Amino acid sequence: MTSEVKKKSITKKIITALWIVFFGGILAISLFIYSISINLNGWYGELPSLKSLENPKSDLSSVLYFADNVEMGKYFRYNRSQVTFDELSPNVVNALIATEDVRYIEHSGIDLYGLGRVFFKSVLLFDKSSGGGSTITQQLAKILFRTRSDLSNGSLNDVPVLGLVIAKMKEWIVAVKLEQSYTKKEIIAMYLNTFEFGSNAFGIKTAAATFFNTTPDQLKIEEAAVLVGLCKNPNLYSPVYEPKNAFHRRNTVLGQLHKYGYIDDIAFDSLRAKPIELDYDVKNHNDGLATYFRGTILWDLLAWSRENGYDLYEDGLKIYTTIDSRMQKYAEEAVETHMAYQQKLFDEHWDGQNPWRDEEGNEIKDFLINEAKKTTYYKQLKKEYGNDEDKIFDKLNEKKPMTVFSWEGEVDTVFSTIDSIKYFKNFLNTGFMAMDPHNGHIKAWVGGINYKYFKYDHVKQGRRQPGSTFKPLVYAAAIDNGYSPCYQIQDVPVTFEVVGDPPTWTPSNSTGRYTGETMTIRQAMAQSLNSGTAYVMRKIGPETVVNYAKRLGIESPLQAVPALCLGTSDVSVYELVGAYSTFVNDGFYTKPFYIDRIEDKNGKVLKQFVPKTGEALSSETAYAMLHMLKGATELPGGTALGLDRELRTDNEVGAKTGTTQNFSDGWFMGVTNDLVAGAWVGGDDRSIHFKSIALGQGARMAMPIWEIFMKKVYADEELGITKGKFKKPSNFSIQLDCEEYNRQQMNLTDSVEQVNQFDVDGIQ
């Protein structure tokens, strides 16, 4: 055989071998990919099912809405909201394609040309700047289905190099499936909705709001370039924490836009010279309107979600509340305006002295030490140092930098734990709630002065002695049992027999004296005379009052004792506002509620909430109580005569102030035809209070909040809250004309003097 023939034979064998290797390689790769797709012997880990590809799971924030469809806040593990492709600015789409996948429109999930380029430059030429070969679809597959996480691991994934190859193959398979299941536009939107941009911003909608206070459809070219730049590495190119890196990365993206013709020379030169201008704001539950309300409703939503098989933090629920964003804003402004002023009065009143006092007015010893022992930090130190109190309190007195609340804004200071307790205990706090009495919808909720620093909610969570604001519940029980607002009493001492030492109890008026005057119970309630309420309590008995209070929605424990008539049992603002609303609602109690409906992420109504209601009083009693409450704003000596005349002009206003015995609690309840609202003001600790009734009364501490709020509400015509008269029942027969009532009483067998005598049979 000649040498030429031998050469041809060898060449043929080589070519044949190469073809065998080529086709064998293709076959081997195909079998390898197929074995991965079916997870042969559990070697590779499961791939997403077709069903999951059609409905890919991504954690969606649940969104809370005001009644007027304004977004209130979110509940999330990852702060994410979705947008459609049509809601994206072309600037974002162009920047993403130009930077991450310039042949995105042409390939079907895998860019073979890009892979070839990476292989040639990286493997053959050792060029580390060649970039990656992953397409946008592959990146989405990796993020969405966590192909490289432990959740998809098989027994071969831990093998060095092989594990990485398996993961990459999985991304290819999922990418191709995604391309088959979705349009190019849908994949772009899904990628941008899924990516974590840093600063707790998951998805382009949240990122646009966090970094630039805008929406995805309004992003400018340079803003889009910053956000797309984060897709390479959110930490390394953060415009907040790595501004230089972010600037260079943004310009790289701008360079890609220029390279592929999305922007011209002039635009490129202009934009790359501009500094990054952020409008940065990371959303959290301490910010925005209705922070206390959001904290309260959370527990209801968690319970509902658990009972109905939803995850509040992942399933993108839409919760529509009854709170009105405008009224909430007015309520928070009213609280801020008055409480800043009230705090100034309080600080001047004590003039540097500690306000925690016992019943004799003496400073409570070891108050700060006892408060420190309630803290989590003390309990941690207790575990570390045991019973060594000296070491524990050395740590508690150790100074450290911290930021504290003030009415002029946050203040950076150096405090010890004991210092901070002393500082914060000097603040007065508040709770305020307003509701529509006709349907039970709560319209505004302010649980305190600042949610970030004072988490305790004083609307529903907090319960304090209501003082005289409980008296209308006593009078309501009496009127529903046949008494008239014109029923006459005398302002004289009323004594009860009680168990204990001494065996009797005689409540005194706030002034400490009695006038002896004969007056109607309407006058007595208007002036908030304790003698009048005590007399009525003695006539109808404490058990009757407790029964009616429960019918009016008071769920807090009430002691059936004579002192209950002065509001000695703790109740909440939430409960009292609900009770007073019964008077406006024709005697029907409607439990205050705040969730209107819950929808899923697609807008399907999952639950429509309806108020719980029931008849508590006759409609005649309810209207008579409105007449009683108006006495505070109409009669001489009425405790609410100080209300701005503007609110009382062409308007019927019922009101009741409340002050506890040591001035720890100041209350005000205001009732109009469209809105019922109540406010409490006091120290977080009952021992913290004003020294005298001059400043420590409900008319000074709490009434201005209601007054400021209502003036703002009436000024906003869009709310539809108008001045007017209370609706009188058509069958009303209770005599409100006291002169006529007295003439009728003269015809009865008993004289007025006999009516005013004490009925010992009523003592309980």
Side-chain angles (χ1 to χ4, degrees), residues 369 399 575:
I369 291 176
K399 304 281 187 180
E575 291 172 309

Side-chain angles (χ1 to χ4, degrees), residues 235-253:
N235 295 320
L236 182 61
Y237 299 110
S238 168
V240 178
Y241 304 108
E242 300 289 346
K244 290 184 178 179
N245 290 350
F247 179 82
H248 292 304
R249 180 61 185 165
R250 181 206 65 178
N251 284 357
T252 297
V253 176

Side-chain angles (χ1 to χ4, degrees), residues 113-125:
Y113 178 87
L115 287 174
R117 171 183 53 81
V118 171
F119 178 80
F120 181 77
K121 288 188 175 182
S122 300
V123 177
L124 301 181
L125 301 181

Side-chain angles (χ1 to χ4, degrees), residues 585-642:
N585 198 32
D586 296 324
F588 282 86
Y589 169 74
T590 301
K591 186 171 184 177
F593 79 111
Y594 38 73
I595 306 176
D596 178 54
R597 69 186 186 279
I598 298 176
E599 298 178 355
D600 67 12
K601 63 183 180 181
N602 298 315
K604 178 184 176 182
V605 176
L606 302 174
K607 175 71 174 179
Q608 180 75 55
F609 292 82
V610 294
K612 297 178 181 178
T613 185
E615 187 173 7
L617 305 169
S618 71
S619 61
E620 293 183 275
T621 298
Y623 185 77
M625 281 309 303
L626 293 174
H627 181 66
M628 292 278 287
L629 288 165
K630 286 193 298 178
T633 65
E634 296 175 349
L635 298 177
T639 56
L641 285 176

Side-chain angles (χ1 to χ4, degrees), residues 472-483 540 544-545 548 617 621 625:
L473 279 65
V474 180
Y475 286 111
I479 290 175
D480 209 49
N481 281 277
Y483 288 80
I540 65 176
T544 301
V545 172
Y548 271 87
L617 305 169
T621 298
M625 281 309 303

Side-chain angles (χ1 to χ4, degrees), residues 505-700:
W505 175 67
T506 305
S508 61
N509 290 326
S510 60
T511 60
R513 64 180 187 275
Y514 308 93
T515 64
E517 294 179 16
T518 298
M519 64 182 66
T520 66
I521 59 174
R522 182 175 186 245
Q523 290 172 311
M525 194 177 92
Q527 298 176 39
S528 202
L529 296 177
N530 292 341
S531 60
T533 319
Y535 178 77
V536 172
M537 172 68 95
R538 180 173 164 171
K539 294 290 283 185
I540 65 176
E543 292 290 351
T544 301
V545 172
V546 170
N547 178 48
Y548 271 87
K550 295 298 182 184
R551 288 163 63 173
L552 290 166
I554 304 299
E555 297 179 350
S556 297
L558 300 175
Q559 290 185 299
V561 297
L564 178 63
C565 69
L566 304 187
T568 54
S569 291
D570 291 354
V571 299
S572 67
V573 173
Y574 173 90
E575 291 172 309
L576 271 190
V577 173
Y580 275 63
S581 292
T582 307
F583 305 142
V584 188
N585 198 32
D586 296 324
F588 282 86
Y589 169 74
T590 301
K591 186 171 184 177
F593 79 111
Y594 38 73
I595 306 176
D596 178 54
R597 69 186 186 279
I598 298 176
E599 298 178 355
D600 67 12
K601 63 183 180 181
N602 298 315
K604 178 184 176 182
V605 176
L606 302 174
K607 175 71 174 179
Q608 180 75 55
F609 292 82
V610 294
K612 297 178 181 178
T613 185
E615 187 173 7
L617 305 169
S618 71
S619 61
E620 293 183 275
T621 298
Y623 185 77
M625 281 309 303
L626 293 174
H627 181 66
M628 292 278 287
L629 288 165
K630 286 193 298 178
T633 65
E634 296 175 349
L635 298 177
T639 56
L641 285 176
L643 274 177
D644 195 311
R645 185 171 297 275
E646 176 188 336
L647 289 173
R648 294 182 286 145
T649 301
D650 300 322
N651 198 26
E652 289 189 334
V653 177
K656 189 71 198 75
T657 57
T659 308
T660 51
Q661 191 171 10
N662 65 349
F663 325 117
S664 294
D665 307 277
W667 292 78
F668 182 80
M669 303 297 299
V671 177
T672 68
N673 63 326
D674 284 338
L675 211 58
V676 175
W680 166 87
V681 173
D684 278 339
D685 192 284
R686 296 173 199 257
S687 65
I688 298 169
H689 49 76
F690 284 103
K691 302 174 187 176
S692 68
I693 198 170
L695 293 175
Q697 61 177 284
R700 297 288 295 272

